[in-house]
Amino acid sequence: MRIGLIGTGRIGSFHAGVLAHHPAVSSLVVADADAARAAQVATLTGATAVATTDEVLGAGVDAVVITSATSAHAELIARAARAGLPAFCEKPIALDLAGTLAALREVERAGSVLQLGFMRRFDAGYAAARTAVRGGALGRLHTVRATTSDPAPPPAAYLPLSGGLFRDCLVHDFDILRWVTGREVTEVYATGSDAGPAMFRAAGDVDTAAALLTLDDGTLATATATRCNGAGYDVRMELAGEQDQIAVGLDDRTPLTSAEPQGPPAPAKPWQGFLERFAPAYEAELDTFLAVVRGEAANPCDGREALHALRIAEACERSRERRRPVRMTEIAEA
């Protein structure tokens, strides 16, 4: 297959390397608003660099991978759909519901394929947790605790473009909560703190957030996130049931130190970033996308799945702003 990749930043460069070495990919065409960066990635991967998105779409590609700036995702998804090309796109489709729905309508009108990049669905730990929960190994699930902690804040210029901590970061936790449990969120109560670096206050964002989510079977879930976790990159999920409890993301690199005298020691090499922690999952999601394009697999994460996660993020943002619980029925679905 001939694959087009639009966007050669940090995640785009990683995806380019995966695609260039995939046995199903015969050639790769890349483009970026920064032509020099695209040329550098092309040199490293053996891809062909072109100047514009038009050239990618017109290069005889069989599918496109969209890893551009978030603000361009919706337009690029629509253009790929109108060109009849299957598309893989990093989350989010857009930072608001209107933009997300408009892009989804383009995909549905064209009858094309759109797979969203929620990579945690392809992580071995989360997959094992899903099997345990849905197979009844934990008994009745009563509590879920999810956390996403970045070791350092992103650049200040990124914050106004990110959509905020709930939409940019915790949206992964909202998606994986639905995927693992098979349940829907009915109500959220969320808050946040901007007590950290001043750039968060300047952007109207928070550096730390917490949400209490009620699921449709009465299970209670908490989701917390921070941009300021100096110990390292910490992404975990704990699931507790009447018969047992399990944890995802608990290993010898989890940036967590026990305060107990007989507890495990601090990790020698704690996780430092998402690409390192989830590299196998990123590879697996692209491998699955290529199988979808070949007609060998069903789409594991279509655009409607992204819409569900964004609606939860929107509800959390509304709850934080209004300082009250928000029912999911308050957030328009279509």
Side-chain angles (χ1 to χ4, degrees):
M1 287 186 292
R2 184 169 170 82
I3 304 298
L5 183 141
I6 305 169
T8 55
R10 182 165 52 166
I11 189 63
S13 298
F14 179 89
H15 285 334
V18 172
L19 292 167
H21 293 94
H22 196 283
V25 177
S26 59
S27 58
L28 179 65
V29 182
V30 302
D32 192 281
D34 183 338
R37 186 166 64 184
Q40 181 180 32
V41 168
T43 298
L44 292 173
T45 61
T48 299
V50 296
T52 66
T53 297
D54 286 339
E55 290 180 74
V56 173
L57 299 178
V61 297
D62 298 295
V64 293
V65 172
I66 299 168
T67 53
S68 63
T70 294
S71 58
H73 285 185
E75 178 188 357
L76 292 172
I77 288 169
R79 292 186 64 183
R82 291 193 293 268
L85 292 171
F88 172 93
C89 184
E90 281 299 331
K91 68 83 187 169
I93 294 174
L95 292 178
D96 59 7
L97 290 172
T100 299
L101 288 166
L104 289 178
R105 283 192 289 269
E106 291 275 9
V107 172
E108 291 166 1
R109 187 178 300 119
S112 60
V113 170
L114 172 63
Q115 180 181 324
L116 261 292
F118 281 108
M119 78 292 184
R120 294 187 195 181
R121 293 179 176 221
F122 298 86
D123 177 75
Y126 284 108
R130 186 178 195 259
T131 298
V133 170
R134 298 194 181 205
L138 306 186
R140 182 185 69 85
L141 188 67
H142 53 73
T143 307
V144 181
R145 295 176 287 272
T147 187
T148 295
S149 300
D150 289 329
Y158 173 76
L159 294 178
L161 308 175
S162 71
L165 194 58
F166 291 106
R167 299 184 189 95
D168 180 52
C169 184
L170 277 165
V171 72
H172 280 289
D173 297 274
F174 303 149
D175 175 72
I176 206 65
L177 175 65
R178 295 181 61 250
W179 188 77
V180 168
T181 66
R183 313 305 309 190
E184 298 295 344
V185 174
T186 60
E187 184 178 84
V188 308
Y189 187 50
T191 188
S193 170
D194 62 3
M199 65 181 182
F200 289 95
R201 292 184 291 279
D205 196 5
V206 295
D207 59 77
T208 303
L212 172 63
L213 307 104
T214 302
L215 306 189
D216 57 14
D217 64 347
T219 300
L220 297 180
T222 58
T224 63
T226 184
R227 302 284 198 186
C228 306
N229 193 57
Y233 181 71
D234 188 10
V235 172
R236 281 178 287 125
M237 174 180 269
E238 299 170 3
L239 301 110
E242 291 183 337
Q243 296 179 15
D244 202 359
Q245 64 177 345
I246 58 175
V248 179
L250 184 60
D251 59 24
D252 61 0
R253 297 192 64 184
T254 303
L256 186 67
T257 301
S258 174
E260 298 297 332
Q262 303 303 317
K269 188 181 179 182
W271 297 111
Q272 290 300 313
F274 65 92
L275 279 179
E276 181 186 35
R277 165 67 176 84
F278 287 109
Y282 280 117
E283 294 176 11
E285 69 178 358
L286 281 183
D287 182 65
T288 300
F289 173 63
L290 296 175
V292 171
V293 174
R294 297 194 303 269
E296 298 171 358
N299 190 345
C301 189
D302 65 19
R304 289 284 164 181
E305 295 296 288
L307 176 62
H308 288 309
L310 179 60
R311 290 182 65 242
I312 298 169
E314 290 286 339
C316 287
E317 193 59 56
R318 181 175 297 186
S319 177
R320 180 183 76 88
E321 291 173 350
R322 302 184 183 182
R323 297 181 178 272
R324 66 169 177 83
V326 172
R327 299 283 299 177
M328 288 305 302
T329 51
E330 296 181 42
I331 309 299
E333 185 170 1

